[in-house]
Amino acid sequence: MENKQIRWHARTAKLGAVLALAVALTACGSSSNGVSKEAASQGGNAKGSSDAEGKIVEFKYPNNPGFDLVYLADQLGYFEGTTTKPKYVGKVAAPQIIPLIGTGDIDFGSRMVPLVISAIASGADIKVVSAGGKTLQEAPHMKYFVRDDQSIQEPKDLEGKTIGFNSFGACAEFVSKKWFKEQGVDISKINFLVVPDDKQEQTLEQGGIDLAIIHAPFSGKAEYNDKLLKLWSDYDLDRGLGGMAPYSVNGKFAREHPEAVKDFVTAIAKTANWVNDNPEEAKEIIAKRLGVDVKYVDRFAYIDDLIVTEDPIQYYIDILENYDKIPKGKVTVKDVYTNEFNPFATEPTAQADHNEGGRDSAS
């Protein structure tokens, strides 16, 4: 972490090229997007050189503010006694996480499925290895806020206005545009502006944007702001089908350290189940980490055992193809994910709706 800035400047040229690649989404030559089937066939027991020598494998991970299973797993001690542990590399801007996983500058990261699909379509060596959040009515993935001046009351009112969201190419863009169009909105008349989640409340209040799409945990504080009004959540839009924020791994890292990947997935899956069973305790840990009053921290819910399901992946493949962001047939569901490192998965491919079958304590 001490050398973060030195390494960051040294890699600027490379990262710029990768970012351009991820945005372009053109049909370039295919490369290995998958995690080694040989490693999978050994049940996650095959080890790379560091593992074989009995050393702990450190995985590079962003040290971003937010509600994150890696930080909670670390705090709860779920990496203790395993073959791996996190090495935090400093704050990484949300739009850069998937490109940096592709280059191996970070080993794991959590971002929305369409970003992973787009990266794979561009040839990135990356794979989803665990599911993420589960959207519930009382625990949505993101919320939609306007100023409480009655100027915006329904979707049509957004024409001619500016909407803030945390990045292009992810859930806030595609889930929203899909729903706005279904409500008869001409989205070409809307200006979309990238604003980090932790800056959106202030930007909205000051008039820099007219609607803010804010992800938890920062959406919790905005809901206490009496100058703002919450209009919707993603649960209202699609019952959370587009809300899963899975964890992805760099392919080279996974091939060299399959045991570490298995231990990573196991640790965060145990943590996800703990959060579902202990939502208030989890909020307290995150509130302390963020330095905010716990009442401002939105509740999180996670897919049981973090087993990846196919419906939300196909949902975004269809959207990206319909928006001509990726060529039709370029990426299939099986290209995007694997459950082979998840010890809780009984089937390598899970197809049930990811919002069904949740723990009673999380609903």
Side-chain angles (χ1 to χ4, degrees), residues 77-146:
Y78 284 140
F79 290 116
E80 294 178 9
T82 74
T83 66
T84 192
K85 68 177 182 179
K87 179 181 180 181
Y88 300 113
V89 297
K91 186 175 181 179
V92 176
Q96 295 177 348
I97 290 176
I98 294 302
L100 292 181
I101 297 173
T103 62
D105 286 272
I106 56 178
D107 299 312
F108 292 94
S110 176
R111 288 287 282 146
M112 291 303 299
V113 175
L115 295 166
V116 181
I117 296 169
S118 297
I120 291 172
S122 294
D125 188 10
I126 185 173
K127 199 86 163 182
V128 168
V129 290
S130 85
K134 174 172 59 179
T135 292
L136 304 174
Q137 187 168 14
E138 65 274 23
H141 178 70
M142 55 189 178
K143 298 176 183 177
Y144 295 69
F145 295 91
V146 296

Side-chain angles (χ1 to χ4, degrees), residues 325-338:
K325 298 295 185 181
I326 61 172
K328 289 187 182 296
K330 176 73 173 181
V331 179
T332 69
V333 172
K334 297 295 191 299
D335 296 327
V336 178
Y337 85 103
T338 179

Side-chain angles (χ1 to χ4, degrees), residues 341-352:
F341 296 107
N342 191 327
F344 301 108
T346 56
E347 297 291 337
T349 57
Q351 301 184 30

Side-chain angles (χ1 to χ4, degrees), residues 65-69 71-72 75 216-217 275 279-294 297-298 300 302:
F67 201 120
D68 193 288
L69 291 176
Y71 312 138
L72 284 165
Q75 182 73 28
V275 172
E280 295 307 314
E281 291 90 334
K283 286 170 59 175
E284 290 173 2
I285 293 174
I286 296 301
K288 184 176 181 180
R289 174 180 172 80
L290 298 178
V292 300
D293 191 316
V294 69
V297 178
D298 268 336
F300 266 68
Y302 289 97

Side-chain angles (χ1 to χ4, degrees), residues 238-297:
D238 65 6
R239 294 300 185 265
L241 183 61
M244 181 182 73
Y247 287 78
S248 300
V249 67
N250 171 267
K252 183 174 182 291
F253 180 90
R255 289 186 291 273
E256 292 181 350
H257 307 293
E259 185 71 13
V261 177
K262 181 180 179 182
D263 283 345
F264 172 92
V265 174
T266 302
I268 63 171
K270 289 179 178 178
T271 305
N273 292 341
W274 180 86
V275 172
N276 287 346
D277 291 336
N278 302 276
E280 295 307 314
E281 291 90 334
K283 286 170 59 175
E284 290 173 2
I285 293 174
I286 296 301
K288 184 176 181 180
R289 174 180 172 80
L290 298 178
V292 300
D293 191 316
V294 69
K295 73 178 183 180
Y296 294 140
V297 178

Side-chain angles (χ1 to χ4, degrees), residues 2 42 55 100 102 133 171-172 237 252 300 310 313 333 351:
E2 293 82 359
Q42 298 178 50
K55 297 179 181 177
L100 292 181
C171 55
L237 274 57
K252 183 174 182 291
F300 266 68
E310 296 188 351
I313 298 175
V333 172
Q351 301 184 30

